[in-house]
mmCIF file with all atom_site columns, all heavy atoms in Angstrom:
data_model
loop_
_atom_site.group_PDB
_atom_site.id
_atom_site.type_symbol
_atom_site.label_atom_id
_atom_site.label_alt_id
_atom_site.label_comp_id
_atom_site.label_asym_id
_atom_site.label_entity_id
_atom_site.label_seq_id
_atom_site.pdbx_PDB_ins_code
_atom_site.Cartn_x
_atom_site.Cartn_y
_atom_site.Cartn_z
_atom_site.occupancy
_atom_site.B_iso_or_equiv
_atom_site.pdbx_formal_charge
_atom_site.auth_seq_id
_atom_site.auth_comp_id
_atom_site.auth_asym_id
_atom_site.auth_atom_id
_atom_site.pdbx_PDB_model_num
ATOM 1   N N   . HIS Y 1 1  ? 0.806  -1.215  -0.002  1.00 92.00 ? 1  HIS Y N   1
ATOM 2   C CA  . HIS Y 1 1  ? 0.011  0.004   -0.009  1.00 92.00 ? 1  HIS Y CA  1
ATOM 3   C C   . HIS Y 1 1  ? 0.858  1.265   -0.002  1.00 92.00 ? 1  HIS Y C   1
ATOM 4   O O   . HIS Y 1 1  ? 0.446  2.313   -0.541  1.00 92.00 ? 1  HIS Y O   1
ATOM 5   C CB  . HIS Y 1 1  ? -0.947 0.001   1.203   1.00 92.00 ? 1  HIS Y CB  1
ATOM 6   C CG  . HIS Y 1 1  ? -2.059 -1.013  1.074   1.00 92.00 ? 1  HIS Y CG  1
ATOM 7   N ND1 . HIS Y 1 1  ? -2.877 -1.387  2.106   1.00 92.00 ? 1  HIS Y ND1 1
ATOM 8   C CD2 . HIS Y 1 1  ? -2.473 -1.729  -0.012  1.00 92.00 ? 1  HIS Y CD2 1
ATOM 9   C CE1 . HIS Y 1 1  ? -3.747 -2.269  1.676   1.00 92.00 ? 1  HIS Y CE1 1
ATOM 10  N NE2 . HIS Y 1 1  ? -3.524 -2.507  0.418   1.00 92.00 ? 1  HIS Y NE2 1
ATOM 11  N N   . PHE Y 1 2  ? 2.032  1.211   0.598   1.00 94.00 ? 2  PHE Y N   1
ATOM 12  C CA  . PHE Y 1 2  ? 2.926  2.352   0.550   1.00 94.00 ? 2  PHE Y CA  1
ATOM 13  C C   . PHE Y 1 2  ? 3.344  2.640   -0.906  1.00 94.00 ? 2  PHE Y C   1
ATOM 14  O O   . PHE Y 1 2  ? 3.363  3.797   -1.343  1.00 94.00 ? 2  PHE Y O   1
ATOM 15  C CB  . PHE Y 1 2  ? 4.158  2.088   1.401   1.00 94.00 ? 2  PHE Y CB  1
ATOM 16  C CG  . PHE Y 1 2  ? 5.215  3.162   1.302   1.00 94.00 ? 2  PHE Y CG  1
ATOM 17  C CD1 . PHE Y 1 2  ? 5.072  4.365   1.983   1.00 94.00 ? 2  PHE Y CD1 1
ATOM 18  C CD2 . PHE Y 1 2  ? 6.343  2.963   0.520   1.00 94.00 ? 2  PHE Y CD2 1
ATOM 19  C CE1 . PHE Y 1 2  ? 6.041  5.354   1.876   1.00 94.00 ? 2  PHE Y CE1 1
ATOM 20  C CE2 . PHE Y 1 2  ? 7.307  3.936   0.396   1.00 94.00 ? 2  PHE Y CE2 1
ATOM 21  C CZ  . PHE Y 1 2  ? 7.170  5.140   1.097   1.00 94.00 ? 2  PHE Y CZ  1
ATOM 22  N N   . LEU Y 1 3  ? 3.649  1.584   -1.657  1.00 94.00 ? 3  LEU Y N   1
ATOM 23  C CA  . LEU Y 1 3  ? 4.076  1.767   -3.043  1.00 94.00 ? 3  LEU Y CA  1
ATOM 24  C C   . LEU Y 1 3  ? 2.918  2.226   -3.946  1.00 94.00 ? 3  LEU Y C   1
ATOM 25  O O   . LEU Y 1 3  ? 3.156  2.870   -4.961  1.00 94.00 ? 3  LEU Y O   1
ATOM 26  C CB  . LEU Y 1 3  ? 4.642  0.428   -3.580  1.00 94.00 ? 3  LEU Y CB  1
ATOM 27  C CG  . LEU Y 1 3  ? 5.964  -0.022  -2.927  1.00 94.00 ? 3  LEU Y CG  1
ATOM 28  C CD1 . LEU Y 1 3  ? 6.347  -1.398  -3.412  1.00 94.00 ? 3  LEU Y CD1 1
ATOM 29  C CD2 . LEU Y 1 3  ? 7.073  0.972   -3.209  1.00 94.00 ? 3  LEU Y CD2 1
ATOM 30  N N   . GLU Y 1 4  ? 1.682  1.918   -3.532  1.00 93.00 ? 4  GLU Y N   1
ATOM 31  C CA  . GLU Y 1 4  ? 0.507  2.363   -4.314  1.00 93.00 ? 4  GLU Y CA  1
ATOM 32  C C   . GLU Y 1 4  ? 0.425  3.872   -4.363  1.00 93.00 ? 4  GLU Y C   1
ATOM 33  O O   . GLU Y 1 4  ? -0.176 4.447   -5.301  1.00 93.00 ? 4  GLU Y O   1
ATOM 34  C CB  . GLU Y 1 4  ? -0.783 1.797   -3.697  1.00 93.00 ? 4  GLU Y CB  1
ATOM 35  C CG  . GLU Y 1 4  ? -1.046 0.350   -4.045  1.00 93.00 ? 4  GLU Y CG  1
ATOM 36  C CD  . GLU Y 1 4  ? -2.367 -0.129  -3.459  1.00 93.00 ? 4  GLU Y CD  1
ATOM 37  O OE1 . GLU Y 1 4  ? -2.626 0.164   -2.273  1.00 93.00 ? 4  GLU Y OE1 1
ATOM 38  O OE2 . GLU Y 1 4  ? -3.132 -0.791  -4.184  1.00 93.00 ? 4  GLU Y OE2 1
ATOM 39  N N   . ARG Y 1 5  ? 1.014  4.552   -3.393  1.00 92.00 ? 5  ARG Y N   1
ATOM 40  C CA  . ARG Y 1 5  ? 0.949  6.016   -3.379  1.00 92.00 ? 5  ARG Y CA  1
ATOM 41  C C   . ARG Y 1 5  ? 1.783  6.613   -4.524  1.00 92.00 ? 5  ARG Y C   1
ATOM 42  O O   . ARG Y 1 5  ? 1.522  7.746   -4.942  1.00 92.00 ? 5  ARG Y O   1
ATOM 43  C CB  . ARG Y 1 5  ? 1.513  6.552   -2.039  1.00 92.00 ? 5  ARG Y CB  1
ATOM 44  C CG  . ARG Y 1 5  ? 0.781  6.057   -0.814  1.00 92.00 ? 5  ARG Y CG  1
ATOM 45  C CD  . ARG Y 1 5  ? 1.468  6.603   0.450   1.00 92.00 ? 5  ARG Y CD  1
ATOM 46  N NE  . ARG Y 1 5  ? 0.927  6.048   1.670   1.00 92.00 ? 5  ARG Y NE  1
ATOM 47  C CZ  . ARG Y 1 5  ? 1.423  6.294   2.869   1.00 92.00 ? 5  ARG Y CZ  1
ATOM 48  N NH1 . ARG Y 1 5  ? 2.469  7.123   3.004   1.00 92.00 ? 5  ARG Y NH1 1
ATOM 49  N NH2 . ARG Y 1 5  ? 0.890  5.739   3.946   1.00 92.00 ? 5  ARG Y NH2 1
ATOM 50  N N   . PHE Y 1 6  ? 2.782  5.884   -4.994  1.00 93.00 ? 6  PHE Y N   1
ATOM 51  C CA  . PHE Y 1 6  ? 3.706  6.449   -5.956  1.00 93.00 ? 6  PHE Y CA  1
ATOM 52  C C   . PHE Y 1 6  ? 3.601  5.778   -7.343  1.00 93.00 ? 6  PHE Y C   1
ATOM 53  O O   . PHE Y 1 6  ? 4.089  6.371   -8.327  1.00 93.00 ? 6  PHE Y O   1
ATOM 54  C CB  . PHE Y 1 6  ? 5.135  6.274   -5.442  1.00 93.00 ? 6  PHE Y CB  1
ATOM 55  C CG  . PHE Y 1 6  ? 5.347  6.836   -4.073  1.00 93.00 ? 6  PHE Y CG  1
ATOM 56  C CD1 . PHE Y 1 6  ? 5.347  5.993   -2.943  1.00 93.00 ? 6  PHE Y CD1 1
ATOM 57  C CD2 . PHE Y 1 6  ? 5.518  8.193   -3.866  1.00 93.00 ? 6  PHE Y CD2 1
ATOM 58  C CE1 . PHE Y 1 6  ? 5.557  6.471   -1.680  1.00 93.00 ? 6  PHE Y CE1 1
ATOM 59  C CE2 . PHE Y 1 6  ? 5.706  8.703   -2.594  1.00 93.00 ? 6  PHE Y CE2 1
ATOM 60  C CZ  . PHE Y 1 6  ? 5.734  7.848   -1.509  1.00 93.00 ? 6  PHE Y CZ  1
ATOM 61  N N   . PHE Y 1 7  ? 3.029  4.583   -7.411  1.00 92.00 ? 7  PHE Y N   1
ATOM 62  C CA  . PHE Y 1 7  ? 2.952  3.892   -8.696  1.00 92.00 ? 7  PHE Y CA  1
ATOM 63  C C   . PHE Y 1 7  ? 1.536  3.389   -8.930  1.00 92.00 ? 7  PHE Y C   1
ATOM 64  O O   . PHE Y 1 7  ? 0.862  2.905   -8.015  1.00 92.00 ? 7  PHE Y O   1
ATOM 65  C CB  . PHE Y 1 7  ? 3.915  2.695   -8.704  1.00 92.00 ? 7  PHE Y CB  1
ATOM 66  C CG  . PHE Y 1 7  ? 5.343  3.048   -8.425  1.00 92.00 ? 7  PHE Y CG  1
ATOM 67  C CD1 . PHE Y 1 7  ? 5.857  2.977   -7.146  1.00 92.00 ? 7  PHE Y CD1 1
ATOM 68  C CD2 . PHE Y 1 7  ? 6.179  3.479   -9.462  1.00 92.00 ? 7  PHE Y CD2 1
ATOM 69  C CE1 . PHE Y 1 7  ? 7.178  3.307   -6.883  1.00 92.00 ? 7  PHE Y CE1 1
ATOM 70  C CE2 . PHE Y 1 7  ? 7.508  3.815   -9.216  1.00 92.00 ? 7  PHE Y CE2 1
ATOM 71  C CZ  . PHE Y 1 7  ? 8.000  3.734   -7.933  1.00 92.00 ? 7  PHE Y CZ  1
ATOM 72  N N   . SER Y 1 8  ? 1.079  3.507   -10.154 1.00 91.00 ? 8  SER Y N   1
ATOM 73  C CA  . SER Y 1 8  ? -0.279 3.031   -10.533 1.00 91.00 ? 8  SER Y CA  1
ATOM 74  C C   . SER Y 1 8  ? -0.223 1.710   -11.254 1.00 91.00 ? 8  SER Y C   1
ATOM 75  O O   . SER Y 1 8  ? -1.240 1.032   -11.370 1.00 91.00 ? 8  SER Y O   1
ATOM 76  C CB  . SER Y 1 8  ? -0.982 4.083   -11.407 1.00 91.00 ? 8  SER Y CB  1
ATOM 77  O OG  . SER Y 1 8  ? -0.223 4.327   -12.586 1.00 91.00 ? 8  SER Y OG  1
ATOM 78  N N   . ASN Y 1 9  ? 0.951  1.343   -11.748 1.00 94.00 ? 9  ASN Y N   1
ATOM 79  C CA  . ASN Y 1 9  ? 1.110  0.060   -12.459 1.00 94.00 ? 9  ASN Y CA  1
ATOM 80  C C   . ASN Y 1 9  ? 1.484  -1.027  -11.465 1.00 94.00 ? 9  ASN Y C   1
ATOM 81  O O   . ASN Y 1 9  ? 2.560  -0.962  -10.823 1.00 94.00 ? 9  ASN Y O   1
ATOM 82  C CB  . ASN Y 1 9  ? 2.196  0.180   -13.548 1.00 94.00 ? 9  ASN Y CB  1
ATOM 83  C CG  . ASN Y 1 9  ? 2.301  -1.050  -14.412 1.00 94.00 ? 9  ASN Y CG  1
ATOM 84  O OD1 . ASN Y 1 9  ? 2.491  -2.159  -13.937 1.00 94.00 ? 9  ASN Y OD1 1
ATOM 85  N ND2 . ASN Y 1 9  ? 2.131  -0.857  -15.729 1.00 94.00 ? 9  ASN Y ND2 1
ATOM 86  N N   . TYR Y 1 10 ? 0.610  -2.011  -11.313 1.00 94.00 ? 10 TYR Y N   1
ATOM 87  C CA  . TYR Y 1 10 ? 0.826  -3.038  -10.274 1.00 94.00 ? 10 TYR Y CA  1
ATOM 88  C C   . TYR Y 1 10 ? 1.931  -4.020  -10.643 1.00 94.00 ? 10 TYR Y C   1
ATOM 89  O O   . TYR Y 1 10 ? 2.501  -4.653  -9.747  1.00 94.00 ? 10 TYR Y O   1
ATOM 90  C CB  . TYR Y 1 10 ? -0.488 -3.759  -9.990  1.00 94.00 ? 10 TYR Y CB  1
ATOM 91  C CG  . TYR Y 1 10 ? -1.395 -2.951  -9.132  1.00 94.00 ? 10 TYR Y CG  1
ATOM 92  C CD1 . TYR Y 1 10 ? -2.319 -2.054  -9.683  1.00 94.00 ? 10 TYR Y CD1 1
ATOM 93  C CD2 . TYR Y 1 10 ? -1.333 -3.020  -7.730  1.00 94.00 ? 10 TYR Y CD2 1
ATOM 94  C CE1 . TYR Y 1 10 ? -3.128 -1.267  -8.879  1.00 94.00 ? 10 TYR Y CE1 1
ATOM 95  C CE2 . TYR Y 1 10 ? -2.140 -2.247  -6.918  1.00 94.00 ? 10 TYR Y CE2 1
ATOM 96  C CZ  . TYR Y 1 10 ? -3.042 -1.369  -7.495  1.00 94.00 ? 10 TYR Y CZ  1
ATOM 97  O OH  . TYR Y 1 10 ? -3.852 -0.588  -6.719  1.00 94.00 ? 10 TYR Y OH  1
ATOM 98  N N   . GLY Y 1 11 ? 2.262  -4.137  -11.906 1.00 94.00 ? 11 GLY Y N   1
ATOM 99  C CA  . GLY Y 1 11 ? 3.425  -4.938  -12.261 1.00 94.00 ? 11 GLY Y CA  1
ATOM 100 C C   . GLY Y 1 11 ? 4.703  -4.307  -11.739 1.00 94.00 ? 11 GLY Y C   1
ATOM 101 O O   . GLY Y 1 11 ? 5.595  -5.003  -11.236 1.00 94.00 ? 11 GLY Y O   1
ATOM 102 N N   . ILE Y 1 12 ? 4.796  -2.962  -11.849 1.00 95.00 ? 12 ILE Y N   1
ATOM 103 C CA  . ILE Y 1 12 ? 5.956  -2.249  -11.311 1.00 95.00 ? 12 ILE Y CA  1
ATOM 104 C C   . ILE Y 1 12 ? 5.989  -2.359  -9.793  1.00 95.00 ? 12 ILE Y C   1
ATOM 105 O O   . ILE Y 1 12 ? 7.043  -2.534  -9.183  1.00 95.00 ? 12 ILE Y O   1
ATOM 106 C CB  . ILE Y 1 12 ? 5.914  -0.767  -11.743 1.00 95.00 ? 12 ILE Y CB  1
ATOM 107 C CG1 . ILE Y 1 12 ? 5.914  -0.645  -13.275 1.00 95.00 ? 12 ILE Y CG1 1
ATOM 108 C CG2 . ILE Y 1 12 ? 7.079  -0.009  -11.147 1.00 95.00 ? 12 ILE Y CG2 1
ATOM 109 C CD1 . ILE Y 1 12 ? 7.141  -1.242  -13.934 1.00 95.00 ? 12 ILE Y CD1 1
ATOM 110 N N   . ILE Y 1 13 ? 4.806  -2.285  -9.157  1.00 95.00 ? 13 ILE Y N   1
ATOM 111 C CA  . ILE Y 1 13 ? 4.749  -2.417  -7.687  1.00 95.00 ? 13 ILE Y CA  1
ATOM 112 C C   . ILE Y 1 13 ? 5.277  -3.772  -7.272  1.00 95.00 ? 13 ILE Y C   1
ATOM 113 O O   . ILE Y 1 13 ? 6.043  -3.876  -6.294  1.00 95.00 ? 13 ILE Y O   1
ATOM 114 C CB  . ILE Y 1 13 ? 3.307  -2.180  -7.209  1.00 95.00 ? 13 ILE Y CB  1
ATOM 115 C CG1 . ILE Y 1 13 ? 2.906  -0.714  -7.398  1.00 95.00 ? 13 ILE Y CG1 1
ATOM 116 C CG2 . ILE Y 1 13 ? 3.153  -2.615  -5.738  1.00 95.00 ? 13 ILE Y CG2 1
ATOM 117 C CD1 . ILE Y 1 13 ? 1.464  -0.406  -7.025  1.00 95.00 ? 13 ILE Y CD1 1
ATOM 118 N N   . ILE Y 1 14 ? 4.865  -4.842  -7.964  1.00 94.00 ? 14 ILE Y N   1
ATOM 119 C CA  . ILE Y 1 14 ? 5.315  -6.186  -7.621  1.00 94.00 ? 14 ILE Y CA  1
ATOM 120 C C   . ILE Y 1 14 ? 6.828  -6.272  -7.776  1.00 94.00 ? 14 ILE Y C   1
ATOM 121 O O   . ILE Y 1 14 ? 7.553  -6.864  -6.946  1.00 94.00 ? 14 ILE Y O   1
ATOM 122 C CB  . ILE Y 1 14 ? 4.624  -7.227  -8.495  1.00 94.00 ? 14 ILE Y CB  1
ATOM 123 C CG1 . ILE Y 1 14 ? 3.127  -7.308  -8.130  1.00 94.00 ? 14 ILE Y CG1 1
ATOM 124 C CG2 . ILE Y 1 14 ? 5.260  -8.619  -8.314  1.00 94.00 ? 14 ILE Y CG2 1
ATOM 125 C CD1 . ILE Y 1 14 ? 2.310  -8.201  -9.042  1.00 94.00 ? 14 ILE Y CD1 1
ATOM 126 N N   . LEU Y 1 15 ? 7.341  -5.654  -8.834  1.00 94.00 ? 15 LEU Y N   1
ATOM 127 C CA  . LEU Y 1 15 ? 8.783  -5.654  -9.093  1.00 94.00 ? 15 LEU Y CA  1
ATOM 128 C C   . LEU Y 1 15 ? 9.538  -4.991  -7.918  1.00 94.00 ? 15 LEU Y C   1
ATOM 129 O O   . LEU Y 1 15 ? 10.558 -5.510  -7.453  1.00 94.00 ? 15 LEU Y O   1
ATOM 130 C CB  . LEU Y 1 15 ? 9.072  -4.895  -10.385 1.00 94.00 ? 15 LEU Y CB  1
ATOM 131 C CG  . LEU Y 1 15 ? 10.511 -4.884  -10.888 1.00 94.00 ? 15 LEU Y CG  1
ATOM 132 C CD1 . LEU Y 1 15 ? 10.960 -6.269  -11.285 1.00 94.00 ? 15 LEU Y CD1 1
ATOM 133 C CD2 . LEU Y 1 15 ? 10.629 -3.940  -12.103 1.00 94.00 ? 15 LEU Y CD2 1
ATOM 134 N N   . ILE Y 1 16 ? 9.001  -3.885  -7.432  1.00 94.00 ? 16 ILE Y N   1
ATOM 135 C CA  . ILE Y 1 16 ? 9.659  -3.174  -6.332  1.00 94.00 ? 16 ILE Y CA  1
ATOM 136 C C   . ILE Y 1 16 ? 9.518  -3.967  -5.030  1.00 94.00 ? 16 ILE Y C   1
ATOM 137 O O   . ILE Y 1 16 ? 10.437 -3.989  -4.194  1.00 94.00 ? 16 ILE Y O   1
ATOM 138 C CB  . ILE Y 1 16 ? 9.095  -1.743  -6.188  1.00 94.00 ? 16 ILE Y CB  1
ATOM 139 C CG1 . ILE Y 1 16 ? 9.372  -0.944  -7.467  1.00 94.00 ? 16 ILE Y CG1 1
ATOM 140 C CG2 . ILE Y 1 16 ? 9.683  -1.038  -4.971  1.00 94.00 ? 16 ILE Y CG2 1
ATOM 141 C CD1 . ILE Y 1 16 ? 8.744  0.419   -7.490  1.00 94.00 ? 16 ILE Y CD1 1
ATOM 142 N N   . VAL Y 1 17 ? 8.364  -4.611  -4.856  1.00 92.00 ? 17 VAL Y N   1
ATOM 143 C CA  . VAL Y 1 17 ? 8.168  -5.461  -3.663  1.00 92.00 ? 17 VAL Y CA  1
ATOM 144 C C   . VAL Y 1 17 ? 9.224  -6.541  -3.598  1.00 92.00 ? 17 VAL Y C   1
ATOM 145 O O   . VAL Y 1 17 ? 9.763  -6.843  -2.534  1.00 92.00 ? 17 VAL Y O   1
ATOM 146 C CB  . VAL Y 1 17 ? 6.754  -6.048  -3.649  1.00 92.00 ? 17 VAL Y CB  1
ATOM 147 C CG1 . VAL Y 1 17 ? 6.645  -7.148  -2.601  1.00 92.00 ? 17 VAL Y CG1 1
ATOM 148 C CG2 . VAL Y 1 17 ? 5.693  -4.999  -3.379  1.00 92.00 ? 17 VAL Y CG2 1
ATOM 149 N N   . VAL Y 1 18 ? 9.528  -7.120  -4.756  1.00 90.00 ? 18 VAL Y N   1
ATOM 150 C CA  . VAL Y 1 18 ? 10.600 -8.144  -4.816  1.00 90.00 ? 18 VAL Y CA  1
ATOM 151 C C   . VAL Y 1 18 ? 11.911 -7.582  -4.296  1.00 90.00 ? 18 VAL Y C   1
ATOM 152 O O   . VAL Y 1 18 ? 12.587 -8.200  -3.450  1.00 90.00 ? 18 VAL Y O   1
ATOM 153 C CB  . VAL Y 1 18 ? 10.809 -8.661  -6.261  1.00 90.00 ? 18 VAL Y CB  1
ATOM 154 C CG1 . VAL Y 1 18 ? 12.033 -9.574  -6.347  1.00 90.00 ? 18 VAL Y CG1 1
ATOM 155 C CG2 . VAL Y 1 18 ? 9.570  -9.412  -6.751  1.00 90.00 ? 18 VAL Y CG2 1
ATOM 156 N N   . ILE Y 1 19 ? 12.277 -6.395  -4.782  1.00 90.00 ? 19 ILE Y N   1
ATOM 157 C CA  . ILE Y 1 19 ? 13.556 -5.804  -4.386  1.00 90.00 ? 19 ILE Y CA  1
ATOM 158 C C   . ILE Y 1 19 ? 13.574 -5.505  -2.886  1.00 90.00 ? 19 ILE Y C   1
ATOM 159 O O   . ILE Y 1 19 ? 14.558 -5.782  -2.196  1.00 90.00 ? 19 ILE Y O   1
ATOM 160 C CB  . ILE Y 1 19 ? 13.788 -4.502  -5.191  1.00 90.00 ? 19 ILE Y CB  1
ATOM 161 C CG1 . ILE Y 1 19 ? 13.925 -4.840  -6.689  1.00 90.00 ? 19 ILE Y CG1 1
ATOM 162 C CG2 . ILE Y 1 19 ? 15.041 -3.779  -4.706  1.00 90.00 ? 19 ILE Y CG2 1
ATOM 163 C CD1 . ILE Y 1 19 ? 13.962 -3.637  -7.606  1.00 90.00 ? 19 ILE Y CD1 1
ATOM 164 N N   . VAL Y 1 20 ? 12.442 -4.962  -2.381  1.00 89.00 ? 20 VAL Y N   1
ATOM 165 C CA  . VAL Y 1 20 ? 12.367 -4.643  -0.941  1.00 89.00 ? 20 VAL Y CA  1
ATOM 166 C C   . VAL Y 1 20 ? 12.490 -5.906  -0.098  1.00 89.00 ? 20 VAL Y C   1
ATOM 167 O O   . VAL Y 1 20 ? 13.236 -5.937  0.894   1.00 89.00 ? 20 VAL Y O   1
ATOM 168 C CB  . VAL Y 1 20 ? 11.045 -3.904  -0.631  1.00 89.00 ? 20 VAL Y CB  1
ATOM 169 C CG1 . VAL Y 1 20 ? 10.874 -3.743  0.880   1.00 89.00 ? 20 VAL Y CG1 1
ATOM 170 C CG2 . VAL Y 1 20 ? 11.003 -2.551  -1.295  1.00 89.00 ? 20 VAL Y CG2 1
ATOM 171 N N   . ILE Y 1 21 ? 11.780 -6.951  -0.492  1.00 87.00 ? 21 ILE Y N   1
ATOM 172 C CA  . ILE Y 1 21 ? 11.818 -8.221  0.254   1.00 87.00 ? 21 ILE Y CA  1
ATOM 173 C C   . ILE Y 1 21 ? 13.207 -8.821  0.212   1.00 87.00 ? 21 ILE Y C   1
ATOM 174 O O   . ILE Y 1 21 ? 13.734 -9.304  1.224   1.00 87.00 ? 21 ILE Y O   1
ATOM 175 C CB  . ILE Y 1 21 ? 10.799 -9.224  -0.286  1.00 87.00 ? 21 ILE Y CB  1
ATOM 176 C CG1 . ILE Y 1 21 ? 9.358  -8.694  -0.090  1.00 87.00 ? 21 ILE Y CG1 1
ATOM 177 C CG2 . ILE Y 1 21 ? 10.947 -10.571 0.392   1.00 87.00 ? 21 ILE Y CG2 1
ATOM 178 C CD1 . ILE Y 1 21 ? 8.950  -8.477  1.324   1.00 87.00 ? 21 ILE Y CD1 1
ATOM 179 N N   . ARG Y 1 22 ? 13.852 -8.774  -0.949  1.00 86.00 ? 22 ARG Y N   1
ATOM 180 C CA  . ARG Y 1 22 ? 15.216 -9.327  -1.065  1.00 86.00 ? 22 ARG Y CA  1
ATOM 181 C C   . ARG Y 1 22 ? 16.196 -8.545  -0.175  1.00 86.00 ? 22 ARG Y C   1
ATOM 182 O O   . ARG Y 1 22 ? 17.133 -9.108  0.378   1.00 86.00 ? 22 ARG Y O   1
ATOM 183 C CB  . ARG Y 1 22 ? 15.690 -9.326  -2.506  1.00 86.00 ? 22 ARG Y CB  1
ATOM 184 C CG  . ARG Y 1 22 ? 14.935 -10.210 -3.474  1.00 86.00 ? 22 ARG Y CG  1
ATOM 185 C CD  . ARG Y 1 22 ? 14.632 -11.580 -2.945  1.00 86.00 ? 22 ARG Y CD  1
ATOM 186 N NE  . ARG Y 1 22 ? 15.840 -12.303 -2.523  1.00 86.00 ? 22 ARG Y NE  1
ATOM 187 C CZ  . ARG Y 1 22 ? 15.805 -13.482 -1.937  1.00 86.00 ? 22 ARG Y CZ  1
ATOM 188 N NH1 . ARG Y 1 22 ? 14.652 -14.074 -1.722  1.00 86.00 ? 22 ARG Y NH1 1
ATOM 189 N NH2 . ARG Y 1 22 ? 16.925 -14.088 -1.574  1.00 86.00 ? 22 ARG Y NH2 1
ATOM 190 N N   . LEU Y 1 23 ? 15.992 -7.229  -0.096  1.00 87.00 ? 23 LEU Y N   1
ATOM 191 C CA  . LEU Y 1 23 ? 16.856 -6.429  0.771   1.00 87.00 ? 23 LEU Y CA  1
ATOM 192 C C   . LEU Y 1 23 ? 16.646 -6.773  2.247   1.00 87.00 ? 23 LEU Y C   1
ATOM 193 O O   . LEU Y 1 23 ? 17.575 -6.839  3.023   1.00 87.00 ? 23 LEU Y O   1
ATOM 194 C CB  . LEU Y 1 23 ? 16.601 -4.945  0.542   1.00 87.00 ? 23 LEU Y CB  1
ATOM 195 C CG  . LEU Y 1 23 ? 17.104 -4.361  -0.765  1.00 87.00 ? 23 LEU Y CG  1
ATOM 196 C CD1 . LEU Y 1 23 ? 16.656 -2.928  -0.934  1.00 87.00 ? 23 LEU Y CD1 1
ATOM 197 C CD2 . LEU Y 1 23 ? 18.633 -4.455  -0.891  1.00 87.00 ? 23 LEU Y CD2 1
ATOM 198 N N   . ILE Y 1 24 ? 15.373 -6.994  2.623   1.00 84.00 ? 24 ILE Y N   1
ATOM 199 C CA  . ILE Y 1 24 ? 15.067 -7.367  3.996   1.00 84.00 ? 24 ILE Y CA  1
ATOM 200 C C   . ILE Y 1 24 ? 15.697 -8.724  4.361   1.00 84.00 ? 24 ILE Y C   1
ATOM 201 O O   . ILE Y 1 24 ? 16.220 -8.922  5.458   1.00 84.00 ? 24 ILE Y O   1
ATOM 202 C CB  . ILE Y 1 24 ? 13.539 -7.421  4.217   1.00 84.00 ? 24 ILE Y CB  1
ATOM 203 C CG1 . ILE Y 1 24 ? 12.960 -6.009  4.125   1.00 84.00 ? 24 ILE Y CG1 1
ATOM 204 C CG2 . ILE Y 1 24 ? 13.196 -8.040  5.577   1.00 84.00 ? 24 ILE Y CG2 1
ATOM 205 C CD1 . ILE Y 1 24 ? 11.447 -5.971  4.160   1.00 84.00 ? 24 ILE Y CD1 1
ATOM 206 N N   . LEU Y 1 25 ? 15.672 -9.615  3.372   1.00 82.00 ? 25 LEU Y N   1
ATOM 207 C CA  . LEU Y 1 25 ? 16.196 -10.979 3.586   1.00 82.00 ? 25 LEU Y CA  1
ATOM 208 C C   . LEU Y 1 25 ? 17.703 -11.089 3.341   1.00 82.00 ? 25 LEU Y C   1
ATOM 209 O O   . LEU Y 1 25 ? 18.280 -12.161 3.526   1.00 82.00 ? 25 LEU Y O   1
ATOM 210 C CB  . LEU Y 1 25 ? 15.472 -11.975 2.691   1.00 82.00 ? 25 LEU Y CB  1
ATOM 211 C CG  . LEU Y 1 25 ? 13.954 -12.152 2.971   1.00 82.00 ? 25 LEU Y CG  1
ATOM 212 C CD1 . LEU Y 1 25 ? 13.351 -13.090 1.942   1.00 82.00 ? 25 LEU Y CD1 1
ATOM 213 C CD2 . LEU Y 1 25 ? 13.710 -12.687 4.371   1.00 82.00 ? 25 LEU Y CD2 1
#
C-alpha cells in the first residue's frame, strides 16, 4: 500500500516489492 501512493502500475509495484523483500532478507 505504501508503493501504491507512488505507482499506478501493479506490475511495477510487484517488481519493487521483490527488491524490498530481497533487501530485508
Side-chain angles (χ1 to χ4, degrees):
H1 288 168
F2 174 78
L3 294 174
E4 282 182 315
R5 302 177 187 175
F6 307 100
F7 303 94
S8 59
N9 187 304
Y10 282 89
I12 301 300
I13 290 176
I14 292 173
L15 185 65
I16 298 174
V17 168
V18 172
I19 297 172
V20 172
I21 296 298
R22 295 315 304 176
L23 289 174
I24 292 173
L25 296 176

